[in-house]
Amino acid sequence: MGKFRRDREALVAERRQILDAAQTAVGLQADPQTDAAIRLAAWTLRGLVRPTGGDFEMLRLMLLALLPQIGGLLMMVARRGDR
């Protein structure tokens, strides 16, 4: 019974490696929104600038950090106008 168990465990481990490799490959594929943004920027700028996926990732990160700050500033300015 030990041989069958070892064979089965080896088969499960091999299939798990295949599954992990497939999941990693899917995870490495670019975000469809990022691809569309790259094409849109290249079309809008007529090919003068060729942004990459990393550029849009940084832009998204910057917007996620700045937009709440801008909202707070707008609320602060609006309160001053009420007084």
Side-chain angles (χ1 to χ4, degrees):
M1 184 140 171
K3 180 185 181 305
F4 293 117
R5 183 175 178 184
R6 282 190 301 272
D7 291 343
R8 181 72 177 154
E9 286 177 352
L11 180 64
V12 169
E14 178 185 339
R15 289 187 178 173
R16 183 65 197 183
Q17 287 177 344
I18 293 170
L19 177 63
D20 289 342
Q23 286 177 333
T24 301
V26 169
L28 292 177
Q29 288 180 350
D31 181 16
Q33 291 177 342
T34 302
D35 288 341
I38 290 170
R39 288 195 314 270
L40 181 64
W43 177 77
T44 304
L45 300 173
R46 299 179 189 251
L48 295 175
V49 177
R50 290 270 184 206
T52 63
D55 295 332
F56 283 101
E57 289 172 5
M58 291 304 293
L59 177 64
R60 185 181 298 162
L61 179 62
M62 188 173 61
L63 288 175
L64 284 173
L66 290 178
L67 287 178
Q69 305 289 332
I70 293 170
L73 288 173
L74 289 175
M75 289 178 62
M76 184 177 68
V77 169
R79 280 190 174 182
R80 262 190 199 182
D82 288 344
R83 291 184 186 177

XYZ file of all heavy atoms in Angstrom:
642
model
N 0.815 -1.189 0.000
C 0.000 0.000 0.000
C 0.862 1.256 0.000
O 0.439 2.275 -0.506
C -0.919 -0.018 1.229
C -1.854 1.119 1.249
S -3.433 0.548 1.822
C -4.237 2.064 1.997
N 2.070 1.194 0.509
C 2.942 2.347 0.558
C 3.346 2.852 -0.819
O 3.446 4.047 -1.057
N 3.572 1.923 -1.761
C 3.970 2.311 -3.111
C 2.851 3.078 -3.802
O 3.084 4.092 -4.457
C 4.348 1.073 -3.913
C 4.773 1.399 -5.333
C 5.016 0.118 -6.110
C 5.468 0.355 -7.508
N 4.627 1.179 -8.312
N 1.627 2.614 -3.678
C 0.498 3.293 -4.318
C 0.296 4.697 -3.742
O -0.019 5.637 -4.469
C -0.781 2.465 -4.159
C -0.748 1.178 -4.916
C -0.803 -0.033 -4.249
C -0.646 1.176 -6.300
C -0.767 -1.232 -4.948
C -0.612 -0.027 -7.004
C -0.667 -1.236 -6.329
N 0.493 4.791 -2.455
C 0.333 6.107 -1.803
C 1.410 7.084 -2.288
O 1.134 8.238 -2.575
C 0.395 5.949 -0.293
C 0.169 7.236 0.428
C 0.109 7.034 1.906
N -0.076 8.315 2.565
C -0.096 8.461 3.854
N 0.039 7.426 4.652
N -0.260 9.648 4.372
N 2.657 6.599 -2.362
C 3.746 7.461 -2.841
C 3.510 7.882 -4.284
O 3.726 9.040 -4.658
C 5.087 6.741 -2.699
C 5.623 6.730 -1.288
C 7.058 6.228 -1.266
N 7.203 4.868 -1.814
C 7.081 3.752 -1.121
N 6.824 3.804 0.172
N 7.221 2.566 -1.696
N 3.057 6.935 -5.129
C 2.757 7.266 -6.527
C 1.645 8.311 -6.615
O 1.715 9.253 -7.403
C 2.352 6.020 -7.309
C 3.506 5.051 -7.526
O 4.675 5.496 -7.354
O 3.235 3.882 -7.853
N 0.619 8.135 -5.801
C -0.510 9.074 -5.805
C -0.063 10.457 -5.326
O -0.448 11.476 -5.904
C -1.632 8.532 -4.906
C -2.840 9.378 -4.853
C -3.602 9.282 -6.159
N -4.806 10.072 -6.019
C -5.437 10.608 -7.016
N -5.016 10.411 -8.241
N -6.512 11.312 -6.826
N 0.737 10.509 -4.281
C 1.234 11.791 -3.775
C 2.129 12.477 -4.804
O 2.078 13.700 -4.965
C 1.990 11.594 -2.463
C 1.082 11.313 -1.286
C 1.841 11.058 0.002
O 3.092 10.946 -0.034
O 1.173 10.967 1.047
N 2.935 11.696 -5.518
C 3.792 12.270 -6.565
C 2.935 12.840 -7.691
O 3.216 13.926 -8.215
C 4.751 11.207 -7.101
N 1.871 12.124 -8.061
C 0.968 12.604 -9.105
C 0.264 13.895 -8.676
O 0.161 14.842 -9.453
C -0.062 11.527 -9.453
C -1.070 11.880 -10.537
C -0.353 12.103 -11.870
C -2.113 10.788 -10.653
N -0.198 13.937 -7.428
C -0.857 15.138 -6.913
C 0.122 16.311 -6.890
O -0.223 17.432 -7.279
C -1.454 14.881 -5.511
C -1.890 16.175 -4.855
C -2.622 13.906 -5.595
N 1.341 16.091 -6.464
C 2.351 17.152 -6.424
C 2.667 17.658 -7.831
O 2.806 18.874 -8.049
C 3.623 16.647 -5.746
N 2.755 16.731 -8.796
C 3.030 17.135 -10.182
C 1.893 17.976 -10.742
O 2.118 19.016 -11.367
C 3.220 15.882 -11.048
C 3.466 16.181 -12.508
C 3.519 14.901 -13.342
O 3.763 13.814 -12.781
O 3.304 15.008 -14.561
N 0.669 17.551 -10.499
C -0.480 18.317 -10.995
C -0.597 19.665 -10.290
O -1.025 20.643 -10.891
C -1.759 17.501 -10.835
C -1.804 16.349 -11.813
C -3.100 15.629 -11.805
N -3.082 14.561 -12.794
C -4.046 13.673 -12.903
N -5.091 13.719 -12.103
N -3.967 12.733 -13.826
N -0.213 19.698 -9.030
C -0.243 20.983 -8.301
C 0.770 21.956 -8.902
O 0.503 23.146 -9.018
C 0.055 20.742 -6.815
C -0.015 21.968 -5.973
C -1.438 22.479 -5.962
N -1.445 23.855 -5.498
C -2.528 24.561 -5.323
N -3.695 24.038 -5.564
N -2.455 25.792 -4.921
N 1.938 21.452 -9.293
C 2.938 22.302 -9.939
C 2.424 22.834 -11.271
O 2.636 23.999 -11.608
C 4.245 21.537 -10.148
C 5.025 21.304 -8.884
C 6.272 20.470 -9.122
O 6.414 19.819 -10.160
N 7.174 20.482 -8.152
N 1.729 21.997 -12.028
C 1.155 22.433 -13.299
C 0.108 23.512 -13.059
O 0.065 24.534 -13.754
C 0.563 21.226 -14.072
C 1.675 20.276 -14.515
C -0.268 21.695 -15.261
C 1.171 18.952 -15.057
N -0.742 23.304 -12.064
C -1.775 24.290 -11.731
C -1.147 25.603 -11.269
O -1.570 26.684 -11.697
C -2.703 23.743 -10.649
C -3.789 24.685 -10.159
C -4.745 25.027 -11.297
C -4.538 24.081 -8.988
N -0.137 25.536 -10.429
C 0.546 26.748 -9.964
C 1.187 27.510 -11.118
O 1.122 28.739 -11.175
C 1.612 26.406 -8.916
C 1.004 25.970 -7.587
O -0.196 26.249 -7.358
O 1.739 25.358 -6.790
N 1.784 26.783 -12.058
C 2.396 27.429 -13.220
C 1.337 28.121 -14.072
O 1.544 29.242 -14.553
C 3.164 26.406 -14.051
N 0.189 27.471 -14.245
C -0.894 28.076 -15.028
C -1.439 29.317 -14.333
O -1.704 30.333 -14.985
C -2.005 27.053 -15.253
N -1.604 29.269 -13.022
C -2.095 30.431 -12.277
C -1.102 31.583 -12.345
O -1.491 32.742 -12.481
C -2.367 30.058 -10.824
C -3.608 29.227 -10.646
C -3.834 28.804 -9.208
O -2.901 28.680 -8.420
N -5.078 28.552 -8.871
N 0.174 31.283 -12.282
C 1.197 32.320 -12.390
C 1.168 32.961 -13.770
O 1.273 34.182 -13.906
C 2.585 31.725 -12.106
O 2.580 31.156 -10.799
C 3.667 32.768 -12.208
N 0.993 32.154 -14.809
C 0.939 32.682 -16.171
C -0.264 33.610 -16.343
O -0.158 34.670 -16.961
C 0.876 31.541 -17.177
N -1.396 33.223 -15.784
C -2.587 34.070 -15.869
C -2.380 35.357 -15.078
O -2.752 36.447 -15.521
C -3.833 33.312 -15.361
C -5.014 34.246 -15.182
C -4.194 32.195 -16.321
N -1.747 35.248 -13.926
C -1.493 36.422 -13.101
C -0.539 37.413 -13.742
O -0.602 38.613 -13.473
N 0.348 36.939 -14.603
C 1.317 37.813 -15.250
C 0.746 38.547 -16.461
O 1.365 39.481 -16.964
C 2.553 37.009 -15.675
C 3.410 36.469 -14.542
C 4.548 35.623 -15.095
C 3.948 37.591 -13.676
N -0.403 38.087 -16.939
C -1.008 38.762 -18.082
C -1.432 40.161 -17.659
O -1.841 40.403 -16.537
C -2.215 37.991 -18.596
C -1.836 36.727 -19.305
C -3.055 35.981 -19.810
O -4.171 36.308 -19.477
N -2.818 34.974 -20.623
N -1.352 41.078 -18.605
C -1.661 42.475 -18.316
C -3.146 42.658 -18.047
O -3.984 41.904 -18.516
C -1.229 43.343 -19.482
N -3.437 43.688 -17.302
C -4.802 44.090 -17.003
C -5.448 44.616 -18.290
O -4.872 45.464 -18.959
C -4.756 45.178 -15.932
C -6.110 45.666 -15.517
O -7.097 44.989 -15.816
O -6.180 46.733 -14.878
N -6.643 44.157 -18.665
C -7.262 44.634 -19.902
C -7.488 46.147 -19.907
O -7.388 46.788 -20.945
C -8.594 43.893 -19.970
C -8.528 42.814 -18.971
C -7.435 43.144 -18.018
N -7.793 46.729 -18.750
C -7.981 48.177 -18.681
C -6.670 48.897 -18.962
O -6.663 49.943 -19.616
C -8.521 48.582 -17.314
C -9.935 48.126 -17.078
C -10.418 48.481 -15.691
O -9.630 48.760 -14.793
N -11.718 48.462 -15.503
N -5.584 48.349 -18.473
C -4.283 48.958 -18.711
C -3.934 48.888 -20.196
O -3.439 49.860 -20.766
C -3.202 48.263 -17.872
O -3.568 48.348 -16.490
C -1.852 48.900 -18.070
N -4.208 47.750 -20.819
C -3.943 47.623 -22.261
C -4.759 48.637 -23.051
O -4.249 49.270 -23.984
C -4.264 46.211 -22.749
C -3.256 45.186 -22.265
O -2.146 45.585 -21.877
O -3.591 43.988 -22.285
N -6.021 48.798 -22.674
C -6.869 49.772 -23.371
C -6.359 51.193 -23.150
O -6.361 52.012 -24.081
C -8.315 49.644 -22.889
N -5.912 51.496 -21.951
C -5.385 52.838 -21.660
C -4.107 53.108 -22.454
O -3.895 54.225 -22.939
C -5.125 52.989 -20.166
N -3.269 52.104 -22.608
C -2.040 52.256 -23.399
C -2.391 52.555 -24.849
O -1.840 53.476 -25.461
C -1.170 50.986 -23.291
C -0.584 50.857 -21.893
C -0.067 50.989 -24.336
C 0.073 49.526 -21.623
N -3.327 51.776 -25.407
C -3.728 52.008 -26.797
C -4.372 53.385 -26.967
O -4.113 54.082 -27.948
C -4.686 50.910 -27.250
C -4.009 49.574 -27.463
C -4.860 48.588 -28.240
N -6.251 48.511 -27.799
C -6.714 47.687 -26.863
N -5.881 46.841 -26.269
N -7.987 47.679 -26.544
N -5.211 53.786 -26.002
C -5.866 55.085 -26.077
C -4.852 56.227 -26.008
O -4.930 57.188 -26.785
C -6.894 55.236 -24.948
C -7.665 56.543 -24.912
C -8.529 56.671 -26.159
C -8.519 56.617 -23.670
N -3.883 56.122 -25.111
C -2.866 57.169 -24.999
C -2.007 57.240 -26.262
O -1.700 58.332 -26.748
C -1.986 56.914 -23.774
N -1.641 56.086 -26.795
C -0.829 56.075 -28.021
C -1.621 56.670 -29.194
O -1.079 57.425 -30.000
C -0.388 54.656 -28.348
N -2.906 56.362 -29.270
C -3.739 56.900 -30.344
C -3.949 58.402 -30.176
O -3.844 59.164 -31.131
C -5.082 56.175 -30.365
C -6.035 56.708 -31.383
C -6.006 56.478 -32.728
C -7.137 57.572 -31.139
N -7.041 57.137 -33.329
C -7.754 57.822 -32.379
C -7.675 58.149 -30.001
C -8.878 58.631 -32.495
C -8.798 58.949 -30.111
C -9.380 59.188 -31.357
N -4.224 58.838 -28.942
C -4.470 60.250 -28.676
C -3.231 61.089 -28.957
O -3.321 62.175 -29.537
C -4.906 60.456 -27.214
O -6.050 59.651 -26.961
C -5.238 61.898 -26.926
N -2.085 60.600 -28.556
C -0.835 61.343 -28.728
C -0.181 61.045 -30.074
O 0.950 61.472 -30.317
C 0.115 61.025 -27.578
C -0.432 61.398 -26.197
C 0.505 60.884 -25.122
C -0.613 62.895 -26.079
N -0.877 60.326 -30.926
C -0.419 60.002 -32.280
C 0.957 59.342 -32.307
O 1.794 59.645 -33.160
C -0.447 61.235 -33.167
C -1.833 61.800 -33.308
C -1.816 63.025 -34.176
N -3.107 63.679 -34.126
C -3.959 63.694 -35.142
N -3.658 63.097 -36.259
N -5.115 64.296 -35.015
N 1.213 58.497 -31.327
C 2.448 57.744 -31.305
C 3.663 58.502 -30.804
O 4.762 57.960 -30.817
N 3.488 59.750 -30.367
C 4.637 60.510 -29.858
C 5.179 59.915 -28.565
O 6.375 59.951 -28.309
C 4.244 61.969 -29.629
C 3.870 62.766 -30.884
C 3.374 64.149 -30.501
C 5.062 62.870 -31.815
N 4.276 59.388 -27.758
C 4.661 58.784 -26.480
C 4.087 57.374 -26.450
O 2.935 57.159 -26.816
C 4.100 59.612 -25.295
C 4.423 58.954 -23.976
C 4.630 61.028 -25.343
N 4.877 56.436 -26.030
C 4.443 55.047 -25.909
C 4.489 54.646 -24.429
O 5.514 54.166 -23.939
C 5.354 54.121 -26.703
C 5.226 54.257 -28.182
C 4.176 53.323 -28.665
N 4.097 53.379 -30.114
C 3.004 53.078 -30.756
N 1.943 52.724 -30.100
N 2.970 53.143 -32.063
N 3.407 54.861 -23.701
C 3.417 54.481 -22.286
C 3.416 52.960 -22.128
O 3.008 52.231 -23.034
C 2.125 55.091 -21.749
C 1.238 55.207 -22.930
C 2.139 55.435 -24.106
N 3.856 52.517 -20.979
C 3.867 51.086 -20.670
C 2.850 50.802 -19.585
O 2.260 51.716 -19.005
C 5.259 50.642 -20.187
O 5.555 51.325 -18.964
C 6.338 50.944 -21.225
N 2.655 49.538 -19.296
C 1.744 49.152 -18.226
C 2.198 49.700 -16.881
O 1.377 50.087 -16.046
N 3.499 49.746 -16.669
C 4.035 50.289 -15.420
C 3.716 51.768 -15.245
O 3.483 52.232 -14.137
N 3.687 52.502 -16.360
C 3.343 53.924 -16.284
C 1.918 54.112 -15.782
O 1.644 54.972 -14.941
C 3.489 54.583 -17.665
C 4.919 54.590 -18.159
O 5.836 54.606 -17.314
O 5.116 54.572 -19.387
N 0.994 53.294 -16.282
C -0.394 53.419 -15.852
C -0.602 52.897 -14.440
O -1.465 53.379 -13.712
C -1.328 52.740 -16.843
C -1.544 53.574 -18.070
C -0.878 53.293 -19.236
C -2.396 54.664 -18.043
C -1.052 54.066 -20.369
C -2.581 55.446 -19.161
C -1.906 55.153 -20.327
N 0.198 51.920 -14.039
C 0.135 51.459 -12.653
C 0.554 52.577 -11.705
O -0.071 52.796 -10.662
C 1.020 50.233 -12.454
C 0.482 48.983 -13.127
C 1.463 47.834 -13.069
O 2.524 47.961 -12.419
O 1.168 46.801 -13.683
N 1.603 53.294 -12.059
C 2.051 54.408 -11.219
C 1.040 55.548 -11.229
O 0.801 56.191 -10.201
C 3.424 54.915 -11.674
C 4.538 53.939 -11.422
S 4.671 53.418 -9.702
C 5.154 54.930 -8.924
N 0.427 55.807 -12.374
C -0.609 56.838 -12.454
C -1.788 56.474 -11.565
O -2.314 57.318 -10.831
C -1.065 57.015 -13.907
C -2.194 58.019 -14.129
C -1.733 59.421 -13.753
C -2.660 57.976 -15.571
N -2.206 55.212 -11.614
C -3.307 54.746 -10.765
C -2.947 54.903 -9.289
O -3.760 55.362 -8.482
C -3.622 53.294 -11.081
C -4.820 52.765 -10.329
C -5.090 51.325 -10.644
N -5.405 51.169 -12.055
C -5.344 50.012 -12.692
N -4.975 48.925 -12.070
N -5.648 49.944 -13.968
N -1.726 54.555 -8.923
C -1.279 54.690 -7.540
C -1.270 56.149 -7.110
O -1.719 56.496 -6.012
C 0.112 54.079 -7.381
C 0.749 54.152 -6.003
C -0.093 53.384 -4.998
C 2.155 53.610 -6.049
N -0.789 57.022 -7.983
C -0.748 58.450 -7.676
C -2.167 59.000 -7.492
O -2.437 59.760 -6.559
C -0.026 59.199 -8.791
C 0.245 60.654 -8.480
S 1.279 61.460 -9.717
C 0.283 61.307 -11.172
N -3.080 58.604 -8.363
C -4.458 59.077 -8.238
C -5.114 58.550 -6.966
O -5.870 59.276 -6.306
C -5.270 58.673 -9.466
C -4.943 59.429 -10.742
C -5.723 58.848 -11.903
C -5.223 60.908 -10.588
N -4.833 57.306 -6.622
C -5.393 56.753 -5.388
C -4.894 57.508 -4.159
O -5.592 57.625 -3.155
C -5.042 55.268 -5.255
C -5.845 54.324 -6.132
C -5.279 52.904 -6.036
C -7.306 54.321 -5.739
N -3.690 58.036 -4.229
C -3.134 58.786 -3.111
C -3.617 60.242 -3.114
O -3.869 60.818 -2.054
C -1.614 58.749 -3.154
N -3.762 60.836 -4.295
C -4.067 62.266 -4.366
C -5.556 62.609 -4.340
O -5.923 63.663 -3.816
C -3.438 62.875 -5.615
C -1.917 62.971 -5.610
C -1.428 63.555 -6.926
C -1.433 63.819 -4.454
N -6.398 61.793 -4.911
C -7.811 62.149 -4.994
C -8.471 62.374 -3.635
O -9.223 63.337 -3.473
C -8.575 61.123 -5.825
C -8.296 61.194 -7.328
C -9.062 60.116 -8.062
C -8.607 62.557 -7.893
N -8.220 61.547 -2.630
C -8.799 61.850 -1.314
C -8.265 63.170 -0.739
O -8.999 63.914 -0.081
C -8.380 60.675 -0.436
C -8.099 59.573 -1.389
C -7.585 60.226 -2.633
N -6.999 63.475 -1.018
C -6.417 64.729 -0.540
C -7.115 65.921 -1.190
O -7.433 66.904 -0.533
C -4.914 64.785 -0.870
C -4.113 63.629 -0.359
C -3.951 63.660 1.150
O -3.972 64.721 1.745
N -3.799 62.512 1.747
N -7.347 65.831 -2.482
C -8.003 66.912 -3.207
C -9.432 67.082 -2.700
O -9.912 68.210 -2.536
C -7.961 66.641 -4.729
C -6.510 66.725 -5.209
C -8.842 67.624 -5.496
C -6.316 66.254 -6.635
N -10.117 65.978 -2.436
C -11.466 66.063 -1.880
C -11.485 66.784 -0.546
O -12.363 67.616 -0.279
N -10.512 66.497 0.296
C -10.418 67.185 1.584
C -10.152 68.666 1.413
O -10.722 69.501 2.133
N -9.285 69.011 0.473
C -9.009 70.431 0.217
C -10.259 71.153 -0.282
O -10.537 72.280 0.128
C -7.874 70.575 -0.794
C -6.478 70.225 -0.277
C -5.487 70.242 -1.439
C -6.051 71.184 0.804
N -11.006 70.520 -1.157
C -12.235 71.128 -1.658
C -13.248 71.339 -0.538
O -13.921 72.378 -0.485
C -12.845 70.281 -2.773
C -12.092 70.278 -4.098
C -12.739 69.306 -5.069
C -12.045 71.673 -4.684
N -13.369 70.378 0.348
C -14.281 70.535 1.481
C -13.830 71.671 2.387
O -14.650 72.442 2.889
C -14.387 69.225 2.264
C -15.156 68.155 1.519
S -15.234 66.587 2.390
C -16.103 67.057 3.865
N -12.527 71.801 2.578
C -12.000 72.859 3.421
C -12.284 74.229 2.793
O -12.708 75.164 3.471
C -10.488 72.677 3.621
C -9.862 73.690 4.563
S -8.108 73.370 4.805
C -7.461 73.734 3.205
N -12.078 74.355 1.510
C -12.326 75.619 0.814
C -13.817 75.938 0.817
O -14.221 77.087 1.000
C -11.771 75.556 -0.629
C -12.231 76.734 -1.456
C -10.253 75.477 -0.588
N -14.659 74.927 0.633
C -16.117 75.146 0.635
C -16.587 75.631 1.990
O -17.472 76.481 2.089
C -16.827 73.873 0.235
N -16.029 75.112 3.069
C -16.417 75.565 4.417
C -16.023 77.012 4.630
O -16.739 77.755 5.280
C -15.754 74.701 5.469
C -16.454 73.420 5.679
C -15.902 72.738 6.882
N -16.660 71.553 7.187
C -16.433 70.785 8.199
N -15.422 71.055 9.007
N -17.163 69.734 8.413
N -14.874 77.415 4.117
C -14.443 78.813 4.271
C -15.382 79.763 3.568
O -15.624 80.864 4.011
C -13.040 78.995 3.716
C -12.042 78.945 4.777
C -10.707 79.357 4.302
N -9.798 78.810 5.294
C -8.542 78.965 5.298
N -7.968 79.632 4.337
N -7.812 78.460 6.245
N -15.920 79.342 2.430
C -16.837 80.184 1.674
C -18.168 80.351 2.375
O -18.871 81.339 2.176
N -18.549 79.414 3.248
C -19.822 79.493 3.966
C -19.769 80.521 5.105
O -20.786 81.048 5.514
C -20.189 78.129 4.539
C -20.623 77.153 3.460
O -20.920 77.609 2.356
O -20.649 75.937 3.733
N -18.636 80.784 5.642
C -18.537 81.671 6.816
C -18.674 83.096 6.467
O -18.605 83.734 5.610
C -17.187 81.475 7.491
C -17.145 80.117 8.135
C -15.848 79.970 8.868
N -15.758 78.594 9.358
C -14.745 78.135 9.971
N -13.706 78.869 10.215
N -14.708 76.909 10.396
